């Protein structure tokens, strides 16, 4: 699958591109920073530098293979582009990111855009809060 993704995006197949795309496809954590990818490559004894990873991720973004997100905390994270829209909720304590879809929210956003005279072309919804684990840690520190 990786070869076809790279070819269809108009990118030459190189070892760094294949390895980075493989990590993005196979990793259970959908949102990875360049540093996360670098760590994974180091653990598997791959000799691909951080500058190369940033360059490849920028190429992937330009080719429409990945989406770059800047969630709270400032570090850019990347996920494979999907045809299915989803929104995100981010834990301010540990940085955990969950994806969700909600038709009611989607319909409401379209209605709001329409009521304001807009035709909605795209949108991004990011909710910030504390996951259950971080919330319980905060609660136990206050007690």
């Amino acid at each position: 699958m990786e070869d076809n993704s790279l070819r269809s995006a108009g990118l030459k197949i190189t070892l760094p591109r294949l390895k980075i795309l493989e990590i993005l496809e196979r990793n259970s954590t959908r949102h990875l920073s360049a540093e996360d990818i670098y760590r994974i490559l180091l653990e598997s004894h791959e000799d691909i530098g951080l500058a190369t990873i940033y360059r490849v991720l920028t190429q992937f973004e330009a080719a429409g293979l990945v989406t770059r997100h800047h969630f709270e905390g400032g570090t850019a994270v990347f996920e494979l582009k999907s045809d299915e829209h989803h929104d995100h909720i981010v834990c301010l304590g540990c940085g955990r990111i969950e994806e969700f879809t909600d038709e009611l929210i989607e319909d409401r956003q379209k209605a709001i855009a329409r009521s304001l005279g807009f035709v909605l072309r795209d949108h991004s919804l990011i909710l910030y809060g504390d996951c259950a684990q971080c919330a319980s840690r905060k609660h136990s520190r206050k007690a």
Side-chain angles (χ1 to χ4, degrees), residues 14-34:
T14 64
L15 184 63
R17 287 179 182 151
L18 282 173
K19 292 290 183 184
I20 292 167
L21 188 58
E22 179 182 305
I23 288 169
L24 289 168
E25 287 178 337
R26 294 189 189 346
N27 202 292
S28 61
T29 305
R30 285 184 42 99
H31 304 87
L32 297 171
S33 69

Side-chain angles (χ1 to χ4, degrees), residues 110-130:
K110 290 173 192 167
I112 291 168
R114 234 183 350 267
S115 74
L116 296 171
F118 282 79
V119 175
L120 196 58
R121 293 174 42 170
D122 195 11
H123 76 279
S124 173
L125 175 66
I126 305 167
L127 304 175
Y128 295 95
D130 293 316

Side-chain angles (χ1 to χ4, degrees), residues 91-96 129-143:
C91 178
L92 293 170
C94 66
R96 186 175 119 210
D130 293 316
C131 69
Q133 242 181 345
C134 290
S136 71
R137 272 197 295 260
K138 278 185 181 179
H139 182 70
S140 66
R141 277 187 257 163
K142 289 180 181 177

Side-chain angles (χ1 to χ4, degrees), residues 1 4 9-10 16 23 31-32 34 49 52 63 77-78 85 98 105 109 121-122 126 128 132 136 143:
M1 172 164 170
N4 291 336
I23 288 169
H31 304 87
L32 297 171
T52 300
V77 293
F78 300 83
H85 174 78
E98 293 292 334
I105 292 173
Q109 289 176 98
R121 293 174 42 170
D122 195 11
I126 305 167
Y128 295 95
S136 71

Side-chain angles (χ1 to χ4, degrees), residues 99-116:
E99 297 175 351
F100 68 94
T101 53
D102 185 302
E103 287 307 311
L104 197 58
I105 292 173
E106 297 302 314
D107 291 343
R108 187 70 188 120
Q109 289 176 98
K110 290 173 192 167
I112 291 168
R114 234 183 350 267
S115 74
L116 296 171

